[in-house]
Amino acid sequence: MKKKKILITGGAGYIGSHMVSYLKEKGMQPVVFDNLSTGFSDLLTDDIELIEGDLQNINDIKRVFEKYSIDKIMHFAASSIVSESVANPLDYYRNNVLGCINLLNEAIKNSIKHFIFSSTAAVYGEPEKIPIKEDSHLMPSSPYGRSKLMMEYILSDLSRIHGFSYAALRYFNASGAEPNGIIGEKHAKETHLIPLILKTAIGDLEKISIYGNDYPTMDGTCIRDYIHVVDICEAHYLVLKAMESGDPGGVFNLGNNKGYSVKEIIDAAQKITGKEIPSEICERRLGDPAKLIADYEKINRSFGWKPKYNLENIIETAWNFTLKEHEKNVLNRKKEK
Ligand code: UFG
């Protein structure tokens, strides 16, 4: 009998690669499936089996299940940029909904037992009440948020009839990096606030754009709840262990229960890096809610999870990674000359 494995889709991406590293620390040997469209194979160590494939190609998924006996999946592979989803909705529904259905179809045929789904705070849209609880009204304001919510409903229907447990973890703003600085947030086309601020601090960007200063917040800029990527990984692990012991799973917020404005993040980054970070006020970005802050009481009560990293730790670890990546890029450029 082949030993049962855990499959990490999107394991070469930002959150997925941290999850792989976290599971390795726990003595597990995950298998990664990734099309490397936004992921990087160098975020994985050499001992990790990477199967390059696309969720929209059923044969690629079949190959995984033929080669390995998989009984649990953490599904990170998805498109996740709110503004991009507004511009290209079909790409988002194809990748996030159709791709996930293809995966589930094969998973069910292979008697999958547990499925953890990367959901998002974007399922709430503009919230009525802060902090946001899981039973708040679900009114996503972007195709991205809608694609994730659709999958939550689909998972609920499928798990009931096909006898597997699932959890949908609604991440607020994933940020930070592994404290050793080896892996971190890396995107070919960066759109996220903290990495862009740090690229400005290091001099790769001239200034950071602040998208709107006329929101109904104390300084007019948007407020977000930043949650460290390693805290996100820990939550996945705890939920998985609970489901393996018979817990039915469910839907849970992953946030810090603390909100920071764009200006506050820039100020904190200036203090931590010791660098001046020039900024300019720009137009609002489409689809941005004014304020998102999580209530994480449900996952705390269910599994004892609470975040260990605060904003300072988030910026420090992200800065550490930015410095190391910068050094690597400078060396590579020298070698090319
Ligand atoms: N922002 C700027 N300037 C920038 C980039 C961002 O002012 O150059 C602002 C945004 O307007 C927003 C905040 O910083 O108010 C955070 O923006 P990010 O792009 O870093 O993150 P988002 O809040 O748009 O989205 C992220 C993930 C989504 C997830 C969401 C959950 O990308 O997948 O968090 O809250 F759904």
Side-chain angles (χ1 to χ4, degrees), residues 297-328:
E297 200 264 337
K298 186 177 174 200
I299 189 165
N300 178 259
R301 186 173 13 97
S302 306
F303 310 118
W305 177 86
K306 63 170 190 242
K308 294 194 171 104
Y309 294 82
N310 61 20
L311 182 69
E312 204 181 353
N313 309 143
I314 286 174
I315 297 177
E316 273 166 4
T317 54
W319 180 232
N320 192 15
F321 178 70
T322 308
L323 289 170
K324 290 210 164 109
E325 278 294 291
H326 185 75
E327 246 171 61
K328 247 200 266 173

Side-chain angles (χ1 to χ4, degrees), residues 12-73:
Y14 169 41
I15 306 177
S17 61
H18 284 79
M19 192 71 237
V20 170
S21 166
Y22 187 95
L23 291 176
K24 260 186 64 185
E25 281 281 307
K26 296 282 176 193
M28 294 170 79
Q29 188 68 18
V31 172
V32 169
F33 181 83
D34 202 301
N35 66 5
L36 299 181
S37 62
T38 55
F40 296 88
S41 54
D42 68 359
L43 292 176
L44 297 170
T45 45
D46 292 341
D47 57 333
I48 294 295
E49 174 98 23
L50 165 66
I51 298 183
E52 252 188 86
D54 197 294
L55 292 170
Q56 287 171 59
N57 184 343
I58 290 164
N59 287 329
D60 286 355
I61 308 172
K62 280 189 196 292
R63 262 197 298 140
V64 181
F65 286 94
E66 276 159 16
K67 187 160 182 198
Y68 298 101
S69 175
I70 307 280
D71 66 345
K72 38 195 171 282
I73 299 178

Side-chain angles (χ1 to χ4, degrees), residues 32 60 109 213 231 269-270 293 331:
V32 169
D60 286 355
K109 279 196 223 152
N213 68 345
D231 279 326
Q270 290 194 135
I293 300 175
L331 271 178

Side-chain angles (χ1 to χ4, degrees), residues 6 28 71-72 113-114 165 237-248:
I6 179 164
M28 294 170 79
D71 66 345
K72 38 195 171 282
K113 289 201 172 65
H114 312 292
S165 60
Y237 185 72
L238 289 177
V239 173
L240 177 68
K241 289 291 136 191
M243 293 199 305
E244 285 179 334
S245 308
D247 190 279

Side-chain angles (χ1 to χ4, degrees), residues 121 124 130-133 170-172 224-225 253-259 292-297:
Y124 298 112
I130 296 283
I132 308 169
K133 282 186 182 293
R170 294 177 180 161
Y171 316 154
F172 282 63
R224 292 287 180 274
D225 182 336
N253 283 340
L254 292 184
N256 243 310
N257 190 232
K258 285 196 178 70
L292 293 174
I293 300 175
D295 182 323
Y296 67 80
E297 200 264 337

Side-chain angles (χ1 to χ4, degrees), residues 147-183:
S147 72
K148 290 286 182 173
L149 185 55
M150 283 176 195
M151 281 320 307
E152 287 195 13
Y153 290 136
I154 291 171
L155 275 165
S156 161
D157 292 340
L158 293 180
S159 70
R160 200 169 301 131
I161 196 80
H162 293 290
F164 64 91
S165 60
Y166 86 98
L169 303 183
R170 294 177 180 161
Y171 316 154
F172 282 63
N173 287 56
S175 41
E178 210 171 59
N180 62 20
I182 295 170
I183 57 174

